[in-house]
Amino acid sequence: KLPLESIQVVLEELRKNGNLEWLDKNKTSFLIMWRRPEEWGKLIYQWVSKNGLTNSVFTLYELTSGEDTENEEFHGLDETMLLRALQALQQEHKAEIITLDDGRGVKFF
C-alpha cells in the first residue's frame, strides 16, 4: 500500500511518458495504456508496409479482427485505442480515417 502522494507521483510519471490519460478534470479516473497510440500506429503501419498494403482501404474490423492480422500484436485492439493509433498515423500523413457505408475505415499511404 502506497500513500496517496506516492500514488500521485507514479501516475504523473506514467502521464509524462504518455502511458496515462486523465479522463476527468478532478483526476479521479484515468486510462492506462500498455502502448501509446503512436506506438500502436507504428506497429500497424509496419504491418501495412511489410505486406505491400499501402494505398489500400481497411475497415476497422478487418484490422483488429480479420484473419490477415491474427498473428499481429494489434489484433483484438480496443476500437478506441485503434482510432487513436490511426489518428497518430493521420497526423504523420501515413493514413486517412474515412467513413464507409457500414462504419469507419482507413486508407494507408
Side-chain angles (χ1 to χ4, degrees):
K1 293 183 176 184
L2 289 175
L4 183 58
E5 186 176 295
S6 298
I7 292 171
Q8 289 172 334
V9 169
V10 170
L11 295 177
E12 182 58 23
E13 281 301 309
L14 286 169
R15 188 200 60 78
K16 284 180 187 176
N17 292 329
N19 295 99
L20 180 140
E21 182 179 306
W22 292 108
L23 298 176
D24 64 348
K25 292 180 182 181
N26 296 328
K27 297 184 177 182
T28 59
S29 182
F30 53 87
L31 172 67
I32 293 182
M33 298 172 272
W34 175 253
R35 287 193 169 100
R36 294 174 307 183
E38 297 81 11
E39 293 170 326
W40 284 117
K42 184 177 179 180
L43 285 173
I44 293 167
Y45 197 77
Q46 285 173 347
W47 174 79
V48 167
S49 298
K50 176 179 72 174
N51 291 290
L53 298 170
T54 53
N55 294 316
S56 297
V57 175
F58 292 90
T59 64
L60 301 187
Y61 177 84
E62 288 174 312
L63 286 176
T64 59
S65 302
E67 291 179 17
D68 294 338
T69 63
E70 283 181 346
N71 296 320
E72 302 301 322
E73 291 183 64
F74 57 87
H75 187 84
L77 187 64
D78 175 72
E79 186 174 320
T80 302
M81 186 56 68
L82 175 63
L83 281 169
R84 290 176 184 202
L86 296 175
Q87 287 167 346
L89 288 175
Q90 190 167 266
Q91 289 177 346
E92 296 176 23
H93 306 288
K94 293 181 177 179
E96 180 181 354
I97 299 169
I98 56 176
T99 301
L100 303 169
D101 292 338
D102 57 347
R104 287 188 268 192
V106 60
K107 179 173 183 176
F108 293 101
F109 304 111

